[in-house]
Each structure stands twice: as structure tokens, then as C-alpha cells.
Amino acid sequence: MTAAGRMSAASAVAAMAAGVPIVALTEDRSFLALAGALVALSVALGLLARHGGSGEVVVRLVQLLPAALVPWLAPAASEPLALYAETAEFVRESFAPMPYQSGVALFSALLLWVLYLLVETLAVGLASPAWTFPVLVLPYLVPTLAIYAETSPALFAFPAAGYALVLATASRNAAAGPPGTHEATAAGWRRGVLTAATIATTLALAGAVLAAQPIPERFGDRTDTFGQGTVQLGDPSIDLIRNINATADRTVLTYRTSDGEGQYLRLAALSAFDEKGFHLVATDLVALQFGGDLPRVGSAQAVETSVEVGDLASEYLPMPWFPVAAQVPGDNWRYDPRTLAVVAVGDGRASATRDLAYTARTARLPGLETMLPTLAEPGEPGDGGLTLALPPELPDSVRRLAVEVTTRAGAETAGEKALALASFLRSDAFRYNTRVAPGTTLGTLEDFLLGSRTGYCEQFAGSLAVLARAVGIPSRVVVGFLPGTERGERWEVSTRNMHAWVELSFGNGVGWVPVDPTPGGATAGGGGTSSASAVPSSAPTPTVPTAAPTTVDEPVLPGAGAQDGLAAGGPGWLAGAAGLALVLGAAPRLVRAAQRRSRLRPGADPARAGERAWREVRAVVLDHAGPWPDGTSRQVATLLGSRLDEDGREALWALAVTVERGRYDREPAAADALPALVGRVSRSVERRWAVPTAGKWWPRSLWRPGR
């Protein structure tokens, strides 16, 4: 093979390796197979063009020919603008890792194909292999910038390895030395170039790792000084939707209570509200000490809670509400007297909770249904109107909605109004769904209250806080954890138990009372109306903060020795044509098989496993040219099941119920039986509709848009 051929192949492998980090964005892996097919075609066409004596400009044009096959491989691409719009909407409404979507798979594959063309142009056409690194690192930057969570550093090894391969190939091509070099001299040349390339690559990777160490972690803007409202803490709500939609439901802490009941665990309160949503305010931190007395509200009971934190890195201490006393190891813990949030200070505060054990004495009050109607007056938190403020941009229709809801319920007191608003949000008029845009901006809340009425805990909590302010009740949004799942004498809290609720302020010494407006059956691990608690309103007014050298290797000289090229004559061309036909013929079937294995792999989160199994059944039906009805999982099972035999109907119905539980039940069904159910449905579909021979090699489900 010529030097140009070797570099072209190395560029292909490097581009595919560089594309591996994109897997952090999607559950689908089929884009790698499609990209591999396009890249392989371009490599083969380039080799053939060079073998025919074409110049590099012609080679570049020939390597673009696989683009003509894209509409044939994926019919949805025949309308690129429509596909782009559909994919953009899907991406906006989805969260990483995204499920399979034809547009995402196609555009990801095209990205890697274009990446290969750029790398080969730099390495071969411009003879500058050292400059391929900025191109190869681009796929790693995509998830790094798109996902708030830190992208795994291990994924950086793939573009780094690809870059090392390009440099090594350049060294191999230069190892023979200039034309006419003596063999001994050439051997020395090879050793020198290979040694230099190895050292340069090692130093580059080591330098990148060391240079990354002083880069601060992304925990929001803050300062380290302590004075009048000078401390700006990180916003935990940024992690909310990522943890709720986490693929793996990882346990982060356990606790035990003296009365055996579960506790909401509070992290921070978001008191300020503007057109961008609810957010933290600057504060002053004081020594960790509480009043020590139970609230003088109702029949408050003291509860002792012992907490053991595992792999949870946070500057906020998960604290049951209302805290009366706490024993926390170390002297780096402070609390905010305005919100009673307990936070760490000093070095390492961002991970201060990891492997921490502590105890807290808290107050448990009567349920809200009993307590709220007895609370007559709204509170005066002493915050200068911060927790009553509404931005002038708030639509009048939202204000009118708050008045209409409370008037229709006949609510007169502040407590009755709060209960009416919470009951309104927990009614059948609203639907819980995490596949919506995150946040509590004015636009998001207006759509939630007056438009789609679909959202998750952040929108439920933000809406109650806004409606309460509209009827004169001070409010703030709280971020923390649901009680979790009871396991024997202890409660387990996982990442997906992260939650948002509201605290409302009432007068006559009551203070802040937590209210959870999110429907109880929608959230993971618990959660209807929280057991109410109160905090005396004696906090001072908070202060609102202002809005926050490269070494180039020797150039690659394309060689054209007959002994390094393709064999002359017909056999070489026939072999190339046969290879192209094999790639085109086998790729879709291999992609479909890999897709099925990915969807039915064991150990997946139950809710996501049910959705993947449902998509696999849909694919099986489409592959066999069967009809796939529109509607809910139960409606599809009813309509499609009427066409299947008894075993297929039973398996399809069981799968539909499992999918429904995964979408709406806080305790999804186990995923162990899903592969067997999919297998039974698949066999029933095969008995009902025989798949055409062409369909085995070109599955229809790969080309039909939709999930």
C-alpha cells in the first residue's frame, strides 16, 4: 500500500475512534455502523482514484460520492430540512442519553464521515498530520459542552489514540528516509522518527491531563468571601433533571428515623424569581447552630434521624426539615440563617458530603390537609418582599388563574388558598413528564399553566410558588430529595429521588411550611404532599446579588511505487467492487442486529428498559411489513394484538403494561422478563407476517422515521 493509502486508512480509524465520545449523548450505537460504512466507501474510492493516477483534488471529489447514497440508505434524508427540524425538536425535548431517533443517528454518522474527510485532507492532501488534533477532538467537545455533567475523561483516550495513530503512520511513512538513502541510514531514520513521535504523543497527552487539573469544577458562580450577602452558592437545581432522568438509579445515601417514617431531605431554597426563573441569592453564613426548640405549631413531634452519605458530592448537607439540632463531623459546616440551608466552606467543599455520617433532630408536624386550613394569615419573612416579588413580565393571565382557582374553591384564608392551589396542580388537568424543557422561566411556567400543562417537579413547584405569590403568600422553591425507598429499618435515597417542592410562609409565628404540589404517583421513590413543617419567620432581609506551541511532523510525500499500490488490471478492480457490494449489502442487517442486542441488554434501568423493548417490538413489526397503530401502549396492544395469536397477544399486553408502569409508576416493573416477552411477540409476528428476503438484509425499521 502506498504512503497515501496507509495515511487514508489511519485517518479513517482515527475519525471513528474520535467519534466514540458521542455515545455519551445517545443510547443508540447504530450511527457508528452507518458512519463506518460511509467512511469505508470513501477510503475505498480514494484508493481506487489514486491507483488510477488521479490528483488529490480529484480524490477529494471522488470521496464525496457516498453522500449520494445517503437518501437511499435513509429515505428520511430525502427531505433534509424536514428531518433537521424534526431532529432539532427531538434534541430540544430530550436529555442525554437520548433514545434512538433516525435523525440523530443520521446526523451523527454524517458528522463522523465529514470528520474523516477533514482529517484525510489535512494528513494527506496538505501533508500536515500534526494539525489533525483540533479536528479529532471536536466530537469529545460536543458532549462536554452539551451535558452539564462532567464528560468521562476516559472518552478523551479515543481521540487521543486516533491522533497517536495518525502521527505513528506519518512516522512509518517517513521511516524509509528520503529516496536513495542507504539501508543502515534508513534504519536509523526510522528509529529516530518513531522515538520522536512516541515521546511527542506521550508528552502531549500528559500535558493535557496536567493542564486540566487547575481548571475549576462547574458548580456555578460563587465567591469565597464572607460578609453582608457576599456568599453566592452553587445552584443544585441545575442537576435536577439530569438526576431524575439518570439511566442508572444509584443509591447516594441511607438514613434511619426514630419513628420509622420517611423524611424529605432538603438541600437549598431558591428565593428570588425573575423572567429567567427561580434562583439563589447571596447570603451570609454563620456557625452551625440551631434554635433547639420545636416549632410552636400543632402537635409537633421530635424525630431523630441518622444519615449515612455514600457517593454524593455536594456542598449542601441533605437535612430533614425542620432542623432543631444537628451533629456533623468537622468544623467546615455553616448554615444560612435565612433559609437554614447547611453548607460546607473551605477547600474541597464541592464534595464535602461524600462518605459523611451525621445525625439531626427535626420536627415532624401534622399533614397539610389538616394543618393548612388552620393557617389564616400569610407570613412576613422579613426579606424586603423578595419572596413575594413577581416580575412585571408575568402575564396577567397567570395572575387571573391564581384568583380564579382560589375563588372557585371558596378559599378565604391564606392556608385555604394554598391548599386550593396545590390541589389544582395535583389534579388530572396536569400531566407529569420529564421530556420537557427544564427550568422555571416565565415562558416555561406560562406554557405549563396555560398551555401544555405537562412537566415535572420543577415546573409543578415553580408554578405553585408563582400562583401563591399572586394571591399574596410568600413562597420559594426548594431542591432536595424525596424520602426514598424503605429497606428494612433504613431508607435508601437514589439519584432519581432528587426533587423540587415549595415552602410557603404563614403568619402568627408559623413561618415556612413545605408543600409538594407534584402528583404523588408521578415521582420516583415517594412523594405526595409532604408532612408539613414550619420555621419561625425571624430571618433578616437577604441581599440580592447582581447578575452574575505545536510541533509539525515531516510532511507526508505520497509515494507511487508499483510494488506498494493495488495490483494492476482487472482483479484489483473486481476485488474493490466486491468489497463495496459486501459493505453495502451487509451493513443494514448488522446495524439492525446490533440495535436489537443494545435494546435488550440486561442490567438496564427498568423504566428505560421497557421503552427500549417497546421500540424493539415496533421495529420487528415494521421489519415484517406489519401495521403499527398510533396511540398509547395499551391501545397499540389492543389493536395489534387482535392480529396476533394468543401467545403473542398475552406477551404484547404484558409488555404494554410494563411500559405504562415505567412511564407513570414510581416503582417500575422489573426488567428481567422483557427479553422473553419481546421474543414471544417477535415469534408471533413472524408467524403472522413472513418477512420478505430483501427485508432481512434491508430492515424497514431502519428507514422509517419515528421512535
Side-chain angles (χ1 to χ4, degrees):
M1 181 179 290
T2 64
R6 284 193 295 270
M7 183 56 75
S8 181
S11 299
V13 175
M16 293 302 300
V20 171
I22 298 180
V23 301
L25 294 174
T26 175
E27 296 176 346
D28 176 55
R29 302 294 182 265
S30 62
F31 75 92
L32 292 173
L34 180 57
L38 293 173
V39 169
L41 285 172
S42 290
V43 171
L45 291 173
L47 289 174
L48 293 173
R50 289 191 180 98
H51 179 72
S54 300
E56 287 302 315
V57 174
V58 175
V59 170
R60 298 288 162 266
L61 295 175
V62 169
Q63 287 180 323
L64 294 175
L65 291 179
L69 298 177
V70 172
W72 182 50
L73 294 173
S78 59
E79 298 180 1
L81 295 180
L83 180 62
Y84 174 80
E86 177 187 341
T87 304
E89 182 66 21
F90 174 80
V91 171
R92 279 195 297 268
E93 295 180 354
S94 301
F95 303 92
M98 297 179 290
Y100 170 79
Q101 199 262 354
S102 57
V104 172
L106 178 59
F107 288 125
S108 298
L110 291 177
L111 171 65
L112 297 189
W113 177 61
V114 172
L115 191 79
Y116 156 71
L117 296 177
L118 291 175
V119 170
E120 210 226 35
T121 299
L122 287 169
V124 180
L126 300 179
S128 301
W131 289 100
T132 59
F133 181 75
V135 178
L136 291 172
V137 81
L138 285 176
Y140 178 76
L141 296 179
V142 173
T144 301
L145 298 176
I147 308 176
Y148 179 78
E150 298 292 340
T151 304
S152 172
L155 292 176
F156 182 74
F158 290 93
Y163 183 57
L165 176 63
V166 171
L167 293 183
T169 304
S171 301
R172 163 68 176 83
N173 289 339
T181 304
H182 188 271
E183 177 59 30
T185 305
W189 184 286
R190 285 194 294 268
R191 286 193 298 269
V193 172
L194 291 174
T195 301
T198 301
I199 294 175
T201 302
T202 303
L203 290 178
L205 295 177
V209 172
L210 293 176
Q213 297 306 311
I215 298 177
E217 295 176 281
R218 292 177 292 177
F219 286 95
D221 296 327
R222 65 190 85 180
T223 64
D224 290 325
T225 56
F226 297 88
Q228 287 296 321
T230 57
V231 182
Q232 182 67 49
L233 301 169
D235 187 346
S237 66
I238 296 176
D239 289 326
L240 188 59
I241 190 60
R242 177 173 63 86
N243 286 325
I244 292 174
N245 282 329
T247 303
D249 197 13
R250 177 173 53 89
T251 298
V252 293
L253 65 87
T254 63
Y255 66 91
R256 183 202 307 263
T257 59
S258 57
D259 62 357
E261 299 296 325
Q263 295 266 52
Y264 275 60
L265 298 169
R266 186 179 184 275
L267 294 176
L270 314 181
S271 302
F273 178 61
D274 55 27
E275 67 277 5
K276 296 181 180 179
F278 283 89
H279 54 84
L280 295 165
V281 297
T283 187
D284 297 309
L285 300 180
V286 301
L288 182 57
Q289 57 183 3
F290 299 103
D293 298 325
L294 295 178
R296 300 186 303 274
V297 181
S299 54
Q301 297 179 350
V303 177
E304 301 291 334
T305 304
S306 60
V307 183
E308 294 182 3
V309 183
D311 187 18
L312 172 65
S314 173
E315 63 184 319
Y316 291 96
L317 189 70
M319 181 64 66
W321 188 260
F322 164 78
V324 176
Q327 294 182 346
V328 186
D331 57 0
N332 61 327
W333 292 99
R334 305 289 186 270
Y335 87 106
D336 175 7
R338 299 177 179 87
T339 66
L340 293 191
V342 180
V343 298
V345 297
D347 295 337
R349 66 183 183 186
S351 57
T353 56
R354 182 174 281 128
D355 299 325
L356 184 69
Y358 57 96
T359 60
R361 183 169 181 261
T362 58
R364 191 188 299 279
L365 298 184
L368 294 179
E369 299 288 341
T370 302
M371 182 180 179
L372 282 180
T374 67
L375 306 179
E377 301 295 331
E380 296 181 0
D383 55 17
L386 176 69
T387 52
L388 263 178
L390 291 170
E393 298 86 356
L394 181 71
D396 291 337
S397 53
V398 174
R399 300 175 189 267
R400 289 196 299 269
L401 177 64
V403 175
E404 291 172 2
V405 170
T406 54
T407 301
R408 189 167 57 246
E412 298 181 355
T413 67
E416 290 173 346
K417 292 178 180 179
L419 187 59
L421 294 173
S423 300
F424 169 65
L425 291 170
R426 292 167 58 82
S427 70
D428 293 339
F430 293 87
R431 186 166 63 94
Y432 184 93
N433 193 324
T434 59
R435 296 293 179 182
V436 298
T440 54
T441 65
L442 285 181
T444 301
L445 295 184
E446 182 181 8
D447 175 73
F448 177 77
L449 288 170
L450 304 173
S452 68
R453 292 195 168 180
T454 299
Y456 62 100
C457 60
E458 192 172 14
Q459 284 81 50
F460 280 93
S463 296
L464 176 58
V466 169
L467 295 175
R469 293 188 183 194
V471 295
I473 305 173
S475 65
R476 59 194 185 193
V477 173
V478 176
V479 178
F481 291 96
L482 289 163
T485 304
E486 188 174 10
R487 306 289 187 191
E489 296 182 351
R490 300 191 68 83
W491 290 75
E492 293 184 356
V493 178
S494 69
T495 52
R496 290 179 60 194
N497 289 135
M498 200 169 185
H499 191 53
W501 61 95
V502 180
E503 287 175 354
L504 305 178
S505 178
F506 296 95
N508 299 321
V510 175
W512 292 101
V513 174
V515 181
D516 188 352
T518 305
T523 52
T529 302
S530 70
S531 58
S533 307
V535 52
S537 51
S538 58
T541 303
T543 302
V544 182
T546 56
T550 304
T551 302
V552 181
D553 291 61
E554 291 293 325
V556 178
L557 302 176
Q563 68 276 16
D564 293 327
L566 292 175
W573 287 95
L574 290 176
L580 290 177
L582 181 62
V583 170
L584 288 174
R589 183 170 184 174
L590 295 175
V591 169
R592 180 67 184 91
Q595 188 182 71
R596 182 180 178 93
R597 287 194 298 272
S598 175
R599 287 171 173 168
L600 301 182
R601 68 180 185 270
D605 171 74
R608 291 181 178 273
E611 293 291 344
R612 287 198 293 264
W614 191 249
R615 290 196 292 271
E616 175 57 27
V617 167
R618 177 185 182 276
V620 169
V621 174
L622 294 180
D623 290 343
H624 288 74
W628 182 261
D630 293 326
T632 65
S633 58
R634 288 177 180 259
Q635 291 170 337
V636 171
T638 300
L639 295 174
L640 180 60
S642 64
R643 297 171 175 262
L644 303 179
D645 55 29
E646 183 176 356
D647 184 66
R649 283 195 299 272
E650 292 178 356
L652 182 62
W653 185 258
L655 181 58
V657 173
T658 301
V659 171
E660 185 178 75
R661 287 190 58 184
R663 291 174 178 173
Y664 307 111
D665 196 335
R666 63 187 182 189
E667 292 291 341
D672 299 340
L674 291 178
L677 292 176
V678 173
R680 290 168 58 191
V681 175
S682 299
R683 289 188 292 273
S684 180
V685 170
E686 291 171 1
R687 290 190 292 268
R688 177 62 176 83
W689 296 287
V691 60
T693 302
K696 294 179 180 179
W697 292 95
W698 296 86
R700 294 177 71 245
S701 61
L702 293 180
W703 324 125
R704 177 169 171 177
R707 293 169 56 188

